[in-house]
Amino acid sequence: DAPRELVINGQTLHLSSGTTSRTTTEVLDFFEGRCADADGELALSMQRLLSDHPDIGGEVPNTPTIRQDDGRVGYVACVDLGEPSIDVAELAERIGRFGATGNVGAIGDARYVFAEQAERDGEVATHFVAMWTQGEFNVNRMFPEGGDAPGNDVDGVSRPPRARRVLQGAERGMPQSMTVYASAETEASLEAFYRRDLAQNGWTIVPLDLTHRPATAPATLVAERDQRMVTFMFQPDGDGATAAIFDSP
């Protein structure tokens, strides 16, 4: 499909997916080749460095690309360094800028492809998902040490008590979103809070059939108001709990 943009804690991640009659291995071979074309000849530069300085010791991998593939499921990950060739000194400088700023783009654009093979009507069908960054992608801003992560609270829904926002994700141009809070409250107290709060603010709690709910499944609450549905999932987390809110306007 056409590339889409996911905004996660204020940073943009690009996403595309598709299905092919190729095998998982063939799909990953293709994307690994794309990574090799954008690796800045880094492995070659490191081999030259070790050749000039044999006292350093050690071995250099043939490629900086990471790949795992069992023939059915696998992934390829790499960094597009953006230039035909870079040397080890320049890479070290880029890594230093990343360490100082948290911006992955200081090193290069991240690339990740996951592929899974299945059979449909006796024919091979491999589904793949590609994700990549483009330009600035600052992990320090995404996950601040204190306070709320970048983003917004859920419109028309109260924040959980004693909580900070740790994650918000949405596809650009689409109304759906996911917002996650970490709270010092327990799972049970968060569910009780929202049952009271939603009812007081005009929401209708949707009855759920939890007969076959696994014991390890998170507590779930669904509410509706004015053709809008919001789903809450509460799960223990250390001394408190997390509240994940899925908004479907």
Side-chain angles (χ1 to χ4, degrees), residues 148-160 163-168 177 179-181 228 245 247:
D148 287 336
N152 300 297
D153 292 326
V154 184
D155 185 39
V157 176
S158 299
R159 285 175 63 107
R164 61 184 290 258
R165 188 175 60 244
V166 294
L167 181 68
Q168 186 182 57
S177 67
T179 308
V180 181
Y181 297 90
R228 179 180 169 200
I245 305 175
D247 187 11

Side-chain angles (χ1 to χ4, degrees), residues 44-215:
L44 182 60
S45 295
M46 294 183 68
Q47 289 168 357
R48 290 170 179 164
L49 178 66
L50 290 181
S51 177
D52 294 339
H53 302 277
D55 54 300
I56 296 177
E59 295 183 359
V60 176
N62 293 328
T63 173
T65 300
I66 300 172
R67 174 171 175 169
Q68 182 172 318
D69 174 15
D70 65 6
R72 190 186 68 83
V73 178
Y75 69 87
V76 165
C78 66
V79 176
D80 183 341
L81 296 174
E83 295 182 22
S85 178
I86 69 168
D87 57 27
V88 177
E90 182 179 347
L91 177 64
E93 181 182 345
R94 292 188 184 192
I95 293 174
R97 292 202 303 270
F98 165 68
T101 64
N103 177 22
V104 175
I107 302 176
D109 294 328
R111 306 282 188 249
Y112 176 85
V113 178
F114 172 84
E116 183 172 13
Q117 183 177 314
E119 283 195 11
R120 296 177 182 174
D121 300 324
E123 297 183 356
V124 171
T126 299
H127 178 68
F128 62 92
V129 178
M131 292 181 284
W132 66 96
T133 63
Q134 187 171 327
E136 181 168 330
F137 190 85
N138 197 302
V139 293
N140 288 354
R141 293 177 189 167
M142 288 180 74
F143 304 106
E145 294 183 2
D148 287 336
N152 300 297
D153 292 326
V154 184
D155 185 39
V157 176
S158 299
R159 285 175 63 107
R162 298 203 293 160
R164 61 184 290 258
R165 188 175 60 244
V166 294
L167 181 68
Q168 186 182 57
E171 180 177 344
R172 196 182 302 278
M174 300 296 288
Q176 296 83 5
S177 67
M178 176 186 71
T179 308
V180 181
Y181 297 90
S183 172
E185 300 287 332
T186 65
E187 174 188 19
S189 64
L190 286 176
E191 182 177 2
F193 166 80
Y194 276 109
R195 285 189 178 276
R196 293 190 306 269
D197 186 80
L198 291 167
Q200 292 170 0
N201 288 283
W203 292 86
T204 299
I205 305 296
V206 178
L208 300 177
D209 181 3
L210 302 178
T211 305
H212 303 292
R213 174 178 177 266

